[in-house]
Every structure is written in structure tokens, then in C-alpha cells.
Amino acid sequence: MTLTVAEFRPDPIHVHVGRETIEVHSLACAIDLLRSLRHDRLGRYAEMLLTQLEQAREPSQQAHAWAAFRSWAMACGLHAGDEGHSHAA
């Protein structure tokens, strides 16, 4: 029996920062977003999340990191999931 690991491909999400809507379609985009928020109040609360995203190498780690990013975005009011728009920051 051979185990195959599928490549991680997240479903893009839209986050709302101020009046801007940003499509985040990969871990690299999420990392860039968090880095851009480093000096903002939201960015100060995301240092451990940024580390998790940067260190995710295996598809399972990437899936967990993406779930953590989505949860963080929803908790901060940047992403409302499938239920509509929410705004923060």
C-alpha cells in the first residue's frame, strides 16, 4: 500500500481591511497580508500565526495553518465566512 499526499490547495477567501477587499488565495498571500499588518493592532496579535504559516511545509501542516488563518480572520472580523461581509480594522 502506497500513501500519496495530495498537494494543498486552499479555497480562496476575501478579507476586508478598512474599505479594501483582498482575496487571499494561498498561504503566501496570507503571509504577505500578516506582514503588511505588522504595525497595525491586528498584526501584533498574529505573530504566532505568522510563524505557523511560514513553517508549514507538509500538506497537512499547510491545511492546519490555513484553518488557523481563516479562524483568525473571522475572529478579527476580517472574514465572515459564507454568511456575508463583516468589516474590521
Side-chain angles (χ1 to χ4, degrees), residues 12 15 18 20 34 50 59 61 68-69 77:
V15 296
E20 186 176 2
L34 290 178
L50 180 58
Q61 294 171 330
F69 174 75

Side-chain angles (χ1 to χ4, degrees), residues 7 56 62:
E7 184 177 327
Q62 293 170 346

